[in-house]
Amino acid sequence: MFRGASTVNLDAKGRMAMPARYRDELMARCAGQLVLTVDVIDRCLCLYPLPEWELIEDRLRSLPSLSEAARRLQRVLIGNAVDIELDGQGRLLVPQRLRQHAGIEKVGMLVGQLNKFQLWDESIWNAQSADDLEAIRLPGAVSDELRDLIL
């Protein structure tokens, strides 16, 4: 499982080094084969180990083809998906159009989300993280069921 947040620097070509603590796991789990796509809710990118992405593709394939919402979701997720491979130095290339979508310039935040990562621009992540924490603290903002998970 992937957890925690790591600051990552992107070079002029849009390459970033995968933090060392994840490299062995990614090589064992997917031989460094990943899929990067847009997040449909937040202004960030989602980075999946290939086997996890294949589960998403299976679910998308099973959606009703006459549903406009399903077609939109497929177009956005699959249409923006890019196959990524860790190079010999543990780096991956984040395509410019995806960097632009997420507002990522030079410094990003790689955030573990159990079975995948989110890749954020550092300043957008910091603002979102502060907003999330503030919202969670509001009375009634988190259901008792969710609160029981963490208490």
Side-chain angles (χ1 to χ4, degrees):
M1 294 294 156
F2 306 115
R3 57 185 161 283
S6 303
T7 302
V8 292
N9 294 307
L10 283 79
D11 67 15
K13 294 180 181 179
R15 293 176 299 195
M16 61 165 258
M18 178 59 68
R21 65 184 175 149
Y22 300 123
R23 288 182 200 163
D24 289 342
E25 176 73 18
L26 289 171
M27 292 309 290
R29 191 184 284 199
C30 62
Q33 302 291 312
L34 306 158
V35 175
L36 183 67
T37 192
V38 298
D39 187 296
V40 296
I41 297 171
D42 295 314
R43 189 175 176 203
C44 65
L45 304 174
C46 292
L47 182 64
Y48 294 88
L50 183 58
E52 292 292 334
W53 174 253
E54 289 171 338
L55 296 173
I56 301 292
E57 283 183 329
D58 288 344
R59 287 187 226 146
L60 290 170
R61 187 179 299 114
S62 71
L63 294 174
S65 62
L66 295 178
S67 164
E68 181 61 27
R71 288 197 320 274
R72 283 178 198 246
L73 187 62
Q74 289 170 333
R75 279 193 299 268
V76 170
L77 288 176
I78 296 170
N80 286 291
V82 177
D83 292 307
I84 303 283
E85 184 173 356
L86 290 178
D87 69 13
Q89 297 174 343
R91 298 177 304 184
L92 56 96
L93 176 65
V94 180
Q96 182 179 5
R97 103 184 135 77
L98 292 180
R99 290 193 316 266
Q100 287 175 333
H101 169 82
I104 302 169
E105 294 188 20
K106 292 185 178 191
V107 181
M109 292 298 294
L110 187 70
V111 182
Q113 295 292 292
L114 302 177
N115 66 329
K116 67 179 187 259
F117 298 96
Q118 288 182 325
L119 180 59
W120 295 77
D121 172 77
E122 182 184 40
S123 62
I124 296 172
W125 164 255
N126 288 337
Q128 182 68 54
S129 183
D131 287 348
D132 290 345
L133 188 55
E134 186 175 323
I136 288 170
R137 289 179 174 160
L138 292 174
V142 177
S143 70
D144 290 341
E145 181 181 343
L146 290 177
R147 192 172 299 279
D148 288 346
L149 287 174
I150 57 174
L151 296 179

